[in-house]
Amino acid sequence: MCDGTVQQGLRPWHAQCNTCRYESAALQVSINEAQAHAAIDEAAREASLKMLRMENFREIVQLARTHGAPGARRLLDVGSAHGWFLEAAAPHFDVLGIEPDAAVGSKAAARGLPVRPGYFPAALAPDETFDAIVFNDVIEHIPDIRSAIAACHARLNPGGILVLNLPNSRGFFYRLSKWLTRAGLPGAFERMWQKSLPSPHLHYFDPANLTSLLQGAGFTHVHSAELAALRADGLKERLAYVGKPNPVKLNTQYLAIRAMIPLLGLFPSDIIVGIYRRG
């Protein structure tokens, strides 16, 4: 983000810039849907994430309404997955989702949600433009992130906003995972990067270097916010999915982490939202 020198990070596949703090991963991305679904228990994953994401999505919709241009209606959700964000945004916007995973996208479409199969921006017609484009936990998975952001600029109407919801490299749990890695325990760090999954994280940003990237692409920073990385509702399901611990360990982890939730507000969250207006 700063034209500095990217250096070897904490693992052989991890790199970081010591000037702007941008981090990247040389991890393999699979586009084989059969392999992806074999590696992921989608029902368990949905149960582990839904409560947290639905609460966060409602907050993002409110931010989009607050900072969108007057009269903004057309909203594109890139990587719409189960369609939860489309459901949250539909009362306020004319929504469209794009989802490359046909199995996941078809389930959302079967519920009556406007989901188009394919990848952004190839799945769009040449003249389709929007007042808001949203990436929820998606932009950090895209290898050529600069091309994706340039496509957003081209597809936004004048005054339109780009909303990026993504992990925060300054977040409490991410920084804790780096400390554990230096202590010889890399498991949490590898999970933060989703190393073992078909679509791992390839980028980690903080609000400052993310804004630098977007300003270089012709966007103006409008607003930054943090979202809850943990909520009590759905926490046990999330712990069960991520670590698959035995019942005793699961309940111990659940009680310990739930007790920590009120204290997490004292530290930077592991989830950030940036809103940027097309120049």
Side-chain angles (χ1 to χ4, degrees):
M1 301 306 106
C2 66
D3 295 325
T5 302
V6 177
Q7 301 178 356
Q8 173 70 50
L10 298 178
R11 307 295 289 163
W13 44 265
H14 174 243
Q16 58 189 8
C17 174
N18 291 330
T19 302
C20 72
R21 300 196 301 263
Y22 164 72
E23 301 180 37
S24 65
L27 296 173
Q28 183 65 40
V29 177
S30 171
I31 58 173
N32 184 306
E33 285 191 21
Q35 176 189 357
H37 287 288
I40 298 173
D41 183 339
E42 196 61 48
R45 182 172 181 269
E46 180 175 350
S48 73
L49 292 174
K50 186 171 184 178
M51 295 301 295
L52 173 67
R53 290 198 172 174
M54 286 302 297
E55 287 295 322
N56 286 351
F57 287 168
R58 282 189 277 270
E59 292 188 30
I60 294 170
V61 169
Q62 185 56 48
L63 289 172
R65 295 179 66 196
T66 299
H67 298 287
R73 290 298 307 173
R74 289 269 290 163
L75 181 147
L76 176 67
D77 181 15
V78 180
S80 53
H82 304 92
W84 301 332
F85 185 78
L86 295 175
E87 290 176 330
H92 311 286
F93 296 93
D94 300 326
V95 298
L96 172 67
I98 293 178
E99 175 51 50
D101 187 320
V104 174
S106 63
K107 290 181 181 179
R111 303 204 315 272
L113 296 170
V115 178
R116 189 177 299 174
Y119 288 87
F120 172 81
L124 299 175
D127 60 346
E128 280 188 286
T129 58
F130 302 88
D131 299 309
I133 298 177
V134 182
F135 287 74
N136 286 305
D137 300 293
V138 170
I139 198 75
E140 68 272 17
H141 297 273
I142 297 176
D144 189 355
I145 193 169
R146 292 185 185 274
S147 292
I149 291 171
C152 291
H153 194 279
R155 294 292 183 160
L156 280 169
N157 295 321
I161 57 172
L162 174 61
V163 182
L164 301 178
N165 162 22
L166 70 167
N168 178 19
S169 65
R170 308 300 291 169
F172 172 78
F173 287 107
Y174 183 67
R175 295 171 77 177
L176 176 62
S177 78
K178 295 176 79 172
W179 182 87
L180 291 171
T181 299
R182 294 186 183 99
L185 300 170
F189 185 69
E190 293 183 353
R191 285 197 299 274
M192 298 296 278
W193 282 93
Q194 300 186 3
K195 179 178 181 289
S196 60
L197 297 181
S199 181
H201 291 171
L202 302 179
H203 315 274
Y204 249 98
F205 293 95
D206 64 22
N209 55 37
L210 181 66
T211 293
S212 177
L213 172 66
L214 271 293
Q215 288 177 337
F219 286 88
T220 300
H221 176 248
V222 174
H223 183 75
S224 292
E226 295 185 352
L227 297 175
L230 287 178
R231 295 182 189 272
D233 291 341
L235 175 60
K236 184 175 286 188
E237 292 81 0
R238 188 173 183 186
L239 291 171
Y241 172 74
V242 173
K244 296 181 172 56
N246 64 57
V248 174
K249 185 176 180 180
L250 172 62
N251 284 308
T252 301
Q253 288 180 340
Y254 169 71
L255 292 173
I257 295 176
R258 178 162 182 166
M260 288 175 57
I261 290 177
L263 301 175
L264 292 178
L266 301 174
F267 303 95
S269 174
D270 281 75
I271 303 177
I272 53 174
V273 177
I275 301 179
Y276 302 90
R277 195 176 312 280
R278 178 193 168 193

